[in-house]
Structures are given as structure tokens and as C-alpha cells.
Amino acid sequence: MGLLFAFILQLLIVLFISTVLGVIAGCITALVCNPEKRKRKILVAFLSPYFFLITFGVSGLIGSIAVSMMKNIDIGVGDCWRVPLSDNYLFMAIDEPDVAYIRADDAYGGSLVDGITEIQLTDSLAVGKTTKQSYFTFNIHNAHIRNYVTEEELEEALPELTLDLHDSSQFISERYESVAGGWLMGVGIFALCMACGVVYLLKKLVLR
């Protein structure tokens, strides 16, 4: 439901912005263009923001879905966040990214560690703090979990570890960027090219 609401809200925002930009562009075109094909030019000016923003949005969504499937992350829309800890385990949050959980990456995987407010990822361990103010380590290769009552107890058990916990929401953002940042930039460029191409074709078709 949250995902559907997000899509509808973004569509309404796009339509509103397109209308405002279309009216402005149409008025400016009406004032400055020459009489030849004047009505068609005004029509192109009015429609261009719709075609550009909707094409950009749809292309970006398709690209985001493709990246999501390849990199095992959420598509960036809605109230669910997902990033991989390893090939087999995910770090996820629903509704609020500040409190997350770890689950197996399969259709039947339930929560292995929940209520996570802070986390740190090493080569083999996810180290974190929960809403109960306790600590844990989670082996991202074999799912072995150990719990600790205090930070001191955790540091005694892992003396080689330099503790550097990040808020769950911050970790999701950083992990998202490290896993798929370059791909998402490519999606943005692809969507921009598609949007410009559609507007160019609109102009060619209407003004021919």
C-alpha cells in the first residue's frame, strides 16, 4: 500500500509541475515566436514538460527496477529499504529506516536479528546495537549470532575490532551508494537521454 501511495503521489507531483511549466512555456512561446506554425509551437511548448518528466520518470523506474534485481537493493520508492550484507543476507527496514533487521535472502527467510538501531560491517561480521541497548555480532557467511549485554563485553570479545557503529538509516544510505551508486548514475543518464529524445520526436512530429 505504501508503494502504491508513493507512486500515486509522485505522479500527481509530476503532473502538477508539468502543468505549471507547460503553461509558462506556452505563454513565453506565444509572445516570442513568429506567426508561422504558431499554434503548433505553443502546443509543443505546453506538452514538452509532460513528455519529458513522464518519460524521465518511467525510464528511471524501469532502470531502477533492473538495478534492484541485479544488486539486490530496493527500487528507491516506498516504505521498504533493502541492502545486501553478503550474497546470502540482507539488511532491511520497513516504515522507518532507523530500526532495521537482518534476514536471509530467500522467499521464506524470517528475521534473524531485529530491532537494529546501529550497525557496522566488516569482512565477515555485522556488528550492531539494538533497541534493547544490547549488542550483537552476526557472521554474514554462516549466520552465527552472538549477543552481548554491554559495549565493554563486545570489545572484550573482539579486541581486534575498532568499533565504529553507524545509525541504521545512515548505513542503508552508505551501503546503497557503495553497492549501486554508479549503476544508478547510469540509470539517470539513460532516463535523461530518453526524455530528451522523446521531446525531440514530439517537436519533429508536431512541427513537420
Side-chain angles (χ1 to χ4, degrees), residues 111-130:
S111 174
L112 299 172
V113 183
D114 55 20
I116 302 170
T117 56
E118 298 179 34
I119 190 170
Q120 172 183 351
L121 185 63
T122 69
D123 291 337
S124 60
L125 294 175
V127 183
K129 183 179 181 180
T130 71

Side-chain angles (χ1 to χ4, degrees), residues 54-194:
I54 291 175
T55 303
F56 184 85
V58 172
S59 301
L61 178 61
I62 293 172
S64 296
I65 292 173
V67 173
S68 172
M69 295 173 65
M70 289 188 297
K71 295 296 183 178
N72 209 0
I73 58 175
D74 63 270
I75 63 173
V77 178
D79 56 0
C80 178
W81 294 264
R82 181 181 83 243
V83 291
L85 294 176
S86 66
D87 292 338
N88 300 315
Y89 300 101
L90 302 172
F91 188 73
M92 299 185 64
I94 297 176
D95 294 331
E96 293 293 337
D98 296 326
V99 181
Y101 62 94
I102 295 172
R103 58 161 286 178
D105 183 18
D106 59 59
Y108 307 102
S111 174
L112 299 172
V113 183
D114 55 20
I116 302 170
T117 56
E118 298 179 34
I119 190 170
Q120 172 183 351
L121 185 63
T122 69
D123 291 337
S124 60
L125 294 175
V127 183
K129 183 179 181 180
T130 71
T131 53
K132 298 178 181 178
Q133 302 301 309
S134 60
Y135 295 81
F136 70 90
T137 57
F138 177 87
N139 191 300
I140 60 176
H141 302 301
N142 59 26
H144 178 68
I145 302 169
R146 291 191 62 181
N147 295 298
Y148 306 90
V149 177
T150 65
E151 183 176 331
E152 290 73 20
E153 184 181 346
L154 171 64
E155 291 176 335
E156 288 178 5
L158 299 170
E160 74 284 358
L161 175 68
T162 300
L163 200 60
D164 183 26
L165 299 176
H166 291 188
D167 292 340
S168 291
S169 58
Q170 180 185 354
F171 175 82
I172 289 172
S173 298
E174 292 174 348
R175 186 68 175 159
Y176 200 95
E177 178 67 25
S178 67
V179 169
W183 285 90
L184 293 175
M185 183 178 295
V187 167
I189 295 172
F190 164 75
L192 180 62
C193 291
M194 289 294 293

Side-chain angles (χ1 to χ4, degrees), residues 17-30:
I17 294 174
S18 298
T19 301
V20 173
L21 293 178
V23 170
I24 293 173
C27 291
I28 293 174
T29 303

